Amino acid sequence: MDLAADLVVRRARVATCDRGASDPGYLEDHAVAVSGDAIAWIGPDARVEEEVDLAGARAIDARGRLVTPGLVDAHTHLVFGDDGARAAEFASLAAGRSYEEIARAGGGILATARATRAADDEALLWAAAARARRLLAWGVTTVEVKSGYGLEVEAEVRLLRVVRELARALRGEMTVVPTLLAAHAAPEEAQGGREGWIRRACDALVPAVAAEGLAAFCDAFVAPTAFTAAEARRVLEAGRAHGLVPRLHADQLGDGGAAALAAELGASSADHLEHVSEAGIAALARAGVVGALLPASTLLARGTRYAPGRRLLDAGVRVALATNVNPGTSMSENVGLTLSLACVALGLTPDEALVAFTDGGARALRLADVGRIAPGAGADLVVWGARGADHLCWHAGVSHALLVVKAGRVVHQAEAWTAADCVA
């Protein structure tokens, strides 16, 4: 027997999440064997002892429960300072003020930028790590983290250095993927206004970030309160010239042509898409751009229009789901909320929601070794206190992540009552 395992999950209902957007690839009564930090073998549980040396393996009995890849949260803003201003803004939203009104009055992103600049690196890192570990408890093993609350060259570089330290602090627990959000909002004190900031972002910020290898992606926010598609194009083209893959906050507050821009630039993803047009959907499908859907931000910002998830999938656009954790429009690490909203507001089935939060997220980040269960893929796994995705989406807002494995090592284990609703 040549194959020896370090860890084996047995008697599981495995969802491989590698069979397409609508098929989680359920395998009944299967085992997953892990060697080192990679998946070494998958097959019927009855055969695992014959084909894999389990003498030195830690054995986990799933008892018929669902086992999935680790979740991939492909859109977050985990690093920010918080002086309480955005909580007060939430109260204003609840009282009927709009996001656009608050932003134009100097709140929104600008308020968080002021709080972030006032916070020291240690405070920013500690808070971001706490948020990340709350996501981990929900089964997230890969998380994208953006800058965007610096709004000046050195401040943005500083935030990405904090993201780098976050990746080091979480090494072995989560993979952190850094994104430069170079065009989030125009700084209040920007010399030359918006044009001046765009020039500095292109000529100084992007080269500085690339020189230190601080980011994999370059992002921009196209919205009436942020930047035009033409301005975003300049920033994303500068990023691409320095090896940063384009991404976009696209068509969230209105149809600004951002989906079409994402398709034209070959972006890895176009995120939000609440107001995407039919032409924009068709362009994303032709270009193979992932549509990253963030329904918790629509809910918590009191939006009235959710992204057309069903139309996107039916048009051939692969979709991702993400929490969009941020202090303004989505202050929640609750993955279950996002999964449920995907079904009740976006038109996805529970199975499609699961695939979107695994393989879809991996595609948005262009990662080949996560988001699926297959021999040779990274050994990121979640054992859930449920038998299928329908339960995870139905029992809204409750974490059923019993056990989380990152790179072959158990990094989170919940109390047994987490699986109280599971019939196994």
Side-chain angles (χ1 to χ4, degrees):
M1 191 177 297
D2 296 329
L3 182 59
D6 301 308
L7 180 145
V8 61
V9 181
R10 301 196 61 177
R11 293 204 302 156
R13 188 181 193 221
V14 176
T16 59
C17 296
D18 64 349
R19 294 187 183 176
S22 299
D23 184 0
Y26 290 122
L27 301 172
E28 303 293 341
D29 197 22
H30 266 55
V32 180
V34 172
S35 180
D37 61 1
I39 295 168
W41 184 91
I42 305 168
D45 189 79
R47 286 176 25 209
V48 65
E49 293 183 22
E50 303 171 8
E51 300 190 20
V52 182
D53 180 358
L54 304 179
R58 174 178 177 175
I60 296 167
D61 186 355
R63 297 175 57 196
R65 299 185 180 105
L66 178 67
V67 173
T68 74
L71 304 186
V72 181
D73 194 344
H75 186 126
T76 80
H77 304 252
L78 291 184
V79 179
F80 59 87
D82 178 25
D83 62 1
R86 304 301 290 275
E89 289 179 12
F90 180 79
S92 294
L93 284 168
R97 289 187 75 192
S98 71
Y99 175 85
E100 293 91 333
E101 285 178 297
I102 292 169
R104 291 193 175 104
I109 294 165
L110 297 179
T112 298
R114 291 190 290 270
T116 302
R117 292 179 193 171
D120 62 33
D121 289 2
E122 183 178 357
L124 292 173
L125 177 60
W126 185 90
R131 295 171 193 125
R133 290 191 171 106
R134 286 195 285 269
L135 290 172
L136 175 66
W138 276 97
V140 174
T141 54
T142 300
V143 62
E144 183 259 14
V145 182
K146 303 179 191 295
S147 68
Y149 293 123
L151 304 188
E152 58 186 30
V153 173
E154 285 304 317
E156 288 292 320
V157 172
R158 172 200 176 211
L159 290 184
L160 285 171
R161 289 174 181 154
V162 172
V163 175
R164 181 173 60 192
E165 291 306 308
L166 177 66
R168 290 170 177 165
L170 297 176
R171 185 171 292 146
E173 297 177 75
M174 302 177 84
T175 297
V176 175
V177 179
T179 292
L180 167 62
L181 181 44
H184 199 190
E188 293 174 291
E189 66 280 14
Q191 295 181 354
R194 293 153 57 96
E195 173 60 25
W197 174 245
I198 293 295
R199 283 200 306 270
R200 288 198 300 283
C202 294
D203 299 340
L205 176 56
V206 167
V209 168
E212 289 193 43
L214 292 172
F217 298 92
C218 185
D219 200 342
F221 184 18
V222 175
T225 58
F227 296 95
T228 66
E231 290 166 334
R233 177 198 301 278
R234 290 166 59 189
V235 172
L236 297 180
E237 287 180 340
R240 189 169 59 179
H242 284 82
L244 305 181
V245 177
R247 300 185 69 187
L248 271 165
H249 285 58
D251 301 334
Q252 178 187 8
L253 304 178
D255 179 12
L261 177 62
E264 179 186 340
L265 295 178
S268 67
S269 70
D271 302 13
H272 281 290
L273 300 175
E274 287 89 335
H275 292 267
V276 66
S277 66
E278 291 301 322
I281 292 173
L284 295 176
R286 287 193 300 270
V289 176
V290 174
L293 311 181
L294 318 172
S297 60
T298 309
L299 176 73
L300 296 176
R302 298 183 79 244
T304 58
R305 184 165 174 171
Y306 284 84
R310 180 78 268 145
R311 295 205 329 262
L312 286 158
L313 278 174
D314 289 347
V317 179
R318 292 302 295 264
V319 300
L321 281 176
T323 61
N324 190 25
V325 177
N326 76 78
T329 61
S330 189
M331 191 56 200
S332 175
E333 298 90 347
N334 193 309
V335 167
L337 175 64
T338 296
L339 286 169
S340 296
L341 286 172
C343 299
V344 300
L346 306 186
L348 275 63
T349 68
D351 285 348
E352 289 167 341
L354 174 60
V355 175
F357 228 131
T358 52
D359 180 65
R363 287 171 182 264
L365 299 179
R366 295 189 176 175
L367 298 175
D369 61 344
V370 299
R372 60 193 180 94
I373 297 178
D380 296 359
L381 304 169
V382 185
V383 180
W384 299 92
R387 279 190 46 80
D390 50 355
H391 192 115
L392 303 183
C393 300
W394 163 71
H395 196 164
V398 174
S399 177
H400 295 280
L402 268 182
L403 186 139
V404 182
V405 175
K406 175 65 182 178
R409 188 172 70 90
V410 175
V411 292
H412 174 78
Q413 191 159 357
E415 299 291 339
W417 47 257
T418 303
D421 292 332
C422 179
V423 179

